[in-house]
């Protein structure tokens, strides 16, 4: 078995057993990036020297007898996480020349655990998008069909892991940006409970929704990497001070008697027939393992997309005000005066989708409209969260499609923002409620990967990982890699 076919857990074990060194492993993945990323465009920045330096440091720690669970494994970071001394572009021309002067907490924690960073992955501009087509650095291609999108906004991380250019990667999920691309690229991904992973140094899109998480081949790998990232951080005021459990401790537990809720609103009109068939087969696998399927209702599901497209733009319009060419970001040449500097810096630095969101958000927050839009959206958000609360009084986990269809063609939705927004219809409610969600590969429809979404109660990540892992022990979907990679 080639090194890139192994899971993160296997690679970490091999390093500890001294079957290979981190430097060798890191070179292997750097070579794969050099060979394949011309096609995929999944990285914005590759950092070979730095990676090899980190790998040698990890090798020295292993040689000295250290045995950390992540020591010496290479990964990639979404280019939304600040990395000290390395460009952090957030997929935007605005930050094309921004070299972060500090590390995000996620990066700092993983560095300390001895993880090697291969580079920074491509993404939709400021994480706004569902196809990776809004990136200043050009679209990412889906390794299962390079004429198709990988999903977004963390499309680079998803494509890189799917094509085995990195064994795992970080991502962020504000409305589905981990789960949707993971599903479209046929890999596993988890967005933990809001507040579980620090947002410090993670460039803000919509602060009350943004949450960092993981892409990997398996649920076990998701748990392994999440364990290294999660935890309280006093530098993020919404970070939750609660102990991080060992996500792998109960991963093998039996799921006999598990109550799985199937929200009828998610298995309804609009769901692709091939996707539905694939998911029903996956649910049968759960039944054969002794789980019980229960139909439930999340009655306010229909409100989630409209509510999100008030809340997220409102918060982004505020967060992105710092990109003004003075405090942060691209600065226009030869300004006439201060107003001209602001106007042209922002006009030149931001792409069309980001401008659209800033305009919607500024409108929704303005005097006279605030109550009608933003406040109303916040009230509806409570109803959406209450739906989940009621559901978890009845069932242990919820299962649903991750996306209503499979990967679409590049360009197919780029002129139609509403149809693009609807591709997140199955993921957004989870962010509005703040509960954890994950996706696992569950088969194919018309030759393209289909993701099964698992939704848990607050801080129930360990259970999601356990339920996902049990499925992966009896199925092989997560082991399949796209041809040619
Ligand atoms: N696709 C959604 C959007 O465009 C979600 C993005 C995300 O989760 N960052 O806003």
């Amino acid at each position: 078995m080639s090194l890139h076919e192994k899971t993160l857990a296997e690679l970490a074990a091999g390093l500890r057993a001294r079957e290979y060194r981190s430097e060798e492993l890191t070179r292997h993945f750097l070579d794969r990036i050099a060979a394949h990323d011309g096609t995929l465009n999944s990285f914005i920045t590759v950092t070979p020297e730095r990676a090899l330096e980190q790998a040698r440091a990890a090798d020295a720690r292993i040689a000295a007898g250290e045995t950390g669970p992540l020591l010496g494994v290479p990964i990639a970071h979404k280019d939304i996480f600040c990395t000290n001394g390395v460009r952090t572009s957030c997929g935007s021309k605005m930050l094309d020349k921004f070299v972060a002067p500090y590390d995000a907490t996620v990066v700092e924690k993983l560095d300390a655990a001895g993880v090697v960073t291969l580079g920074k992955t491509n993404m939709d501009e400021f994480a706004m998008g569902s196809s990776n087509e809004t990136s200043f650095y050009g679209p990412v291609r889906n390794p299962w069909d390079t004429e198709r999108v990988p999903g977004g906004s963390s499309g680079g991380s998803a494509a890189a892991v799917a094509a085995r250019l990195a064994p795992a990667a970080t991502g962020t999920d504000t409305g589905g940006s981990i789960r949707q691309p993971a599903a479209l690229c046929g890999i596993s991904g988890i967005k933990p409970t809001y507040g579980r992973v620090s947002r410090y140094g993670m460039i803000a899109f919509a602060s009350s929704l943004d949450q960092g998480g993981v892409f990997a081949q398996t649920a076990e790998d998701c748990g392994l990497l999440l364990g290294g990232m999660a935890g309280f951080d006093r530098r993020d005021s919404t970070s939750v001070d609660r102990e991080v459990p060992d996500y792998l401790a109960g991963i093998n537990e039996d799921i006999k008697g598990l109550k799985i809720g199937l929200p009828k609103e998610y298995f309804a009109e609009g769901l692709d027939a091939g996707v539905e068939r694939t998911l029903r087969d996956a649910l049968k696998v759960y039944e054969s393992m002794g789980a019980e399927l229960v139909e439930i209702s999340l009655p306010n599901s229909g409100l989630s997309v409209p509510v999100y497209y008030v809340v997220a733009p409102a918060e982004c319009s505020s967060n992105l005000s710092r990109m003004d060419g003075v405090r942060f970001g691209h600065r226009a040449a030869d300004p006439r005066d201060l107003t001209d500097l602001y106007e042209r810096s922002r006009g030149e630095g931001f792409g069309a989708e980001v401008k659209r969101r800033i305009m919607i958000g500024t409108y929704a927050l303005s005097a006279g409209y605030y109550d009608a839009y933003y406040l109303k959206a916040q009230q509806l958000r409570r109803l959406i969260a209450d739906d989940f609360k009621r559901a978890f009084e009845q069932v242990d986990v919820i299962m649903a499609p991750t996306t209503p269809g499979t990967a679409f063609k590049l360009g197919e939705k780029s002129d139609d923002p509403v149809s693009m927004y609807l591709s997140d219809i199955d993921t957004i409610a989870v962010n509005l409620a703040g509960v954890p969600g994950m996706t696992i590969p569950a088969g194919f429809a018309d030759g393209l990967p289909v993701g099964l979404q698992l939704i848990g109660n607050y801080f129930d990540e360990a259970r999601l990982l356990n339920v996902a892992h049990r499925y992966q022990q009896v199925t092989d979907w997560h082991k399949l890699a796209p041809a040619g990679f």
Side-chain angles (χ1 to χ4, degrees):
M1 198 193 239
S2 263
L3 287 175
H4 60 271
E5 290 171 299
K6 293 181 189 285
T7 65
L8 193 69
E10 288 164 351
L11 291 173
L15 286 165
R16 284 195 297 274
R18 314 211 184 167
E19 287 167 24
Y20 35 79
R21 287 159 24 103
S22 175
E23 186 173 348
E24 185 189 334
L25 190 57
T26 300
R27 280 191 201 281
H28 181 82
F29 281 103
L30 289 170
D31 288 348
R32 286 190 59 77
I33 295 169
H36 294 290
D37 211 41
T39 312
L40 296 177
N41 196 29
S42 66
F43 281 83
I44 291 174
T45 307
V46 184
T47 50
E49 283 101 47
R50 202 179 165 97
L52 290 169
E53 203 178 293
Q54 285 181 315
R56 285 189 283 268
D59 283 331
R61 285 170 65 176
I62 294 169
E66 263 192 66
T67 56
L70 289 165
L71 196 51
V73 291
I75 67 150
H77 282 298
K78 183 179 184 179
D79 207 16
I80 198 168
F81 288 101
C82 285
T83 39
N84 193 358
V86 175
R87 172 171 63 174
T88 301
S89 75
C90 223
S92 182
K93 177 179 178 186
M94 196 50 120
L95 294 180
D96 180 50
K97 298 192 172 61
F98 176 62
V99 175
Y102 69 99
D103 282 321
T105 297
V106 162
V107 174
E108 190 180 272
K109 282 177 93 96
L110 292 178
D111 279 2
V115 168
V116 172
T117 304
L118 297 165
K120 310 286 299 286
T121 58
N122 204 343
M123 56 181 285
D124 278 301
E125 186 179 7
F126 286 106
M128 298 174 202
S130 309
S131 67
N132 223 111
E133 292 169 294
T134 72
S135 170
F136 173 62
Y137 303 90
V140 175
R141 288 171 185 273
N142 188 318
W144 291 93
D145 176 348
T146 53
E147 295 305 307
R148 291 177 188 270
V149 304
S153 66
S154 320
S157 287
V161 173
R164 311 314 196 227
L165 307 189
T170 57
T172 59
D173 190 314
T174 302
S177 283
I178 291 176
R179 290 161 289 151
Q180 187 254 21
L184 300 190
C185 288
I187 57 171
S188 306
I190 186 164
K191 176 209 89 80
T193 307
Y194 181 78
R196 181 72 292 187
V197 167
S198 169
R199 292 182 296 107
Y200 180 76
M202 195 177 103
I203 295 173
F205 162 13
S207 307
S208 75
L209 299 159
D210 296 343
Q211 186 58 203
V214 179
F215 292 90
Q217 290 175 34
T218 66
E220 184 186 19
D221 288 359
C222 286
L224 185 60
L225 198 56
L226 183 62
M229 288 163 57
F232 175 63
D233 180 6
R234 56 177 181 76
R235 294 175 297 188
D236 169 4
S237 60
T238 59
S239 154
V240 176
D241 192 357
R242 182 175 168 134
E243 210 185 319
V244 181
D246 177 351
Y247 290 122
L248 303 184
I251 202 156
N252 278 312
E253 260 165 46
D254 198 349
I255 58 164
K256 204 165 174 318
L258 181 84
K259 278 207 174 112
I260 299 174
L262 305 178
K264 62 171 191 242
E265 293 81 4
Y266 284 69
F267 291 91
E269 211 188 315
L271 178 59
D272 175 85
V275 170
E276 173 155 18
R277 246 189 327 268
T278 308
L279 296 177
R280 298 275 178 205
D281 285 345
L283 295 171
K284 282 193 201 119
V285 173
Y286 275 107
E287 272 189 310
S288 74
M289 290 191 284
E292 186 192 335
L293 306 181
V294 186
E295 189 185 89
I296 59 163
S297 174
L298 299 169
N300 294 296
S301 300
L303 297 172
S304 61
V305 173
V307 166
Y308 175 87
Y309 279 98
V310 172
V311 173
E315 293 183 13
C316 102
S317 73
S318 162
N319 276 326
L320 295 190
S321 65
R322 64 176 69 105
M323 308 288 163
D324 58 7
V326 177
R327 287 172 294 173
F328 286 99
H330 166 79
R331 179 183 295 215
D334 307 320
R336 249 185 299 115
D337 52 30
L338 189 61
T339 309
D340 183 48
L341 171 71
Y342 287 149
E343 285 179 357
R344 280 199 297 118
S345 296
R346 287 168 69 81
E348 291 163 10
F350 288 135
E353 182 60 26
V354 173
K355 286 178 184 161
R356 181 179 297 127
R357 307 269 182 122
I358 291 174
M359 285 190 280
I360 297 171
T362 307
Y363 180 86
L365 289 177
S366 50
Y369 295 111
Y370 178 85
D371 291 347
Y373 294 106
Y374 190 70
L375 208 62
K376 183 56 96 189
Q378 292 292 18
Q379 287 161 347
L380 297 177
R381 186 172 177 179
R382 166 58 52 202
L383 297 182
I384 292 166
D386 287 346
D387 280 358
F388 283 102
K389 203 169 148 211
R390 264 191 306 276
F392 287 120
E393 285 163 10
Q394 245 183 296
V395 298
D396 302 311
V397 292
I398 294 172
M399 291 194 188
T402 310
T403 56
T406 50
F408 41 93
K409 289 239 164 78
L410 282 153
E412 191 179 321
K413 299 189 192 221
S414 34
D415 295 330
D416 184 352
V418 174
S419 131
M420 188 72 89
Y421 296 172
L422 287 172
S423 65
D424 295 314
I425 194 157
D426 296 323
T427 49
I428 279 179
V430 164
N431 301 80
L432 290 167
V435 293
M438 79 176 292
T439 184
I440 49 173
F444 293 82
D446 297 322
L448 294 165
V450 172
L452 172 67
Q453 185 174 200
L454 282 62
I455 302 167
N457 207 344
Y458 295 100
F459 296 99
D460 219 1
E461 288 83 7
R463 193 201 301 259
L464 290 185
L465 293 163
N466 162 229
V467 172
H469 179 69
R470 292 301 289 194
Y471 178 80
Q472 293 185 331
Q473 286 180 311
V474 296
T475 57
D476 282 334
W477 305 118
H478 60 287
K479 292 187 185 152
L480 303 179
F485 291 99

